[in-house]
Amino acid sequence: MKISKIRLAYRVIIDSSSTIIWDKYVFEDTFKEYKMQSQQFNSAENPKNTFRELLSDNEKASQLHFLVGIAADGYIQQLKGNFYRVSDVLGNQYFPFTNYQLDIINSDVTDISKHKIGITFYSPLLSYFGIIEGNFLVSKNTESKNGYETIMFPVQSHLSICYIQNE
């Protein structure tokens, strides 16, 4: 059996309609950080309210993705490498991740309800055996051996293979 190595990515969208308390904290803190950090990229003569306007006016504003992401880092560290909203087929709610990337979908310094971010969580390198009955069959063990403990994650919205390495 040919076994590939993959990395999975899971993206969560956080906006004013988010109901999970963790999301609400991330939402509020990233909005505060956006308001503060966006000032350094905005023009005093012709200020822009929204992130998209600011980005079209000043390409250096793309740094805001990273700068605003720092406000979410403490909350992400609390997860201790497991995102507990992605269930495997057995109902175990965890998605192992080793890093993440925050992106600003849009924001408006004058209206918190328009603030919207995405956080993409990236799994460690996994052994990939294929898709079986609509499920990614993977193993955390990436060393070649006779047997593997496996996990099956349902193919679902916001979960994707983002890296593949053939042997």
Side-chain angles (χ1 to χ4, degrees):
M1 172 190 284
K2 186 177 178 183
I3 302 168
S4 300
K5 306 286 188 273
I6 65 166
R7 200 172 302 281
L8 292 172
Y10 183 80
R11 187 165 194 245
V12 62
I13 305 295
I14 300 174
D15 62 16
S16 62
S17 67
S18 297
T19 58
I20 297 170
I21 193 75
W22 186 88
D23 291 8
K24 288 182 178 189
Y25 287 137
V26 171
F27 175 79
E28 291 169 5
D29 284 0
T30 57
F31 179 69
K32 289 175 195 169
E33 191 69 22
Y34 175 77
K35 280 179 65 172
M36 185 175 65
Q37 294 288 350
S38 66
Q39 295 174 38
Q40 65 181 311
F41 300 101
N42 222 332
S43 151
E45 305 80 43
N46 186 16
K48 306 294 183 197
N49 289 337
T50 70
F51 175 65
R52 293 290 160 205
E53 291 172 332
L54 185 57
L55 198 56
S56 68
D57 193 51
N58 182 349
E59 65 185 35
K60 290 182 180 181
S62 64
Q63 295 174 41
L64 285 166
H65 296 292
F66 172 75
L67 295 170
V68 170
I70 292 170
D73 192 63
Y75 298 106
I76 291 170
Q77 296 309 316
Q78 291 173 0
L79 300 175
K80 298 186 185 322
N82 286 304
F83 190 64
Y84 293 98
R85 286 191 227 163
V86 182
S87 298
D88 68 7
V89 296
L90 298 175
N92 297 313
Q93 295 208 341
Y94 73 95
F95 175 77
F97 70 93
T98 54
N99 59 350
Y100 73 95
Q101 183 174 352
L102 182 140
D103 63 288
I104 302 165
I105 298 168
N106 206 359
S107 197
D108 186 326
V109 293
T110 64
D111 185 356
I112 191 170
S113 71
K114 293 183 180 172
H115 184 65
K116 188 173 190 177
I117 60 169
I119 302 175
T120 305
F121 296 92
Y122 297 97
S123 76
L125 204 57
L126 303 166
S127 294
Y128 175 66
F129 303 96
I131 294 178
I132 298 176
E133 294 184 9
N135 300 289
F136 296 110
L137 179 61
V138 298
S139 175
K140 288 185 187 179
N141 184 349
T142 57
E143 301 301 316
S144 182
K145 63 180 198 175
N146 291 335
Y148 294 85
E149 286 188 34
T150 61
I151 309 166
M152 294 179 83
F153 289 108
V155 173
Q156 59 191 280
S157 191
H158 304 288
L159 180 64
S160 174
I161 296 174
C162 64
Y163 172 82
I164 190 161
Q165 171 187 332
N166 291 321
E167 289 200 356

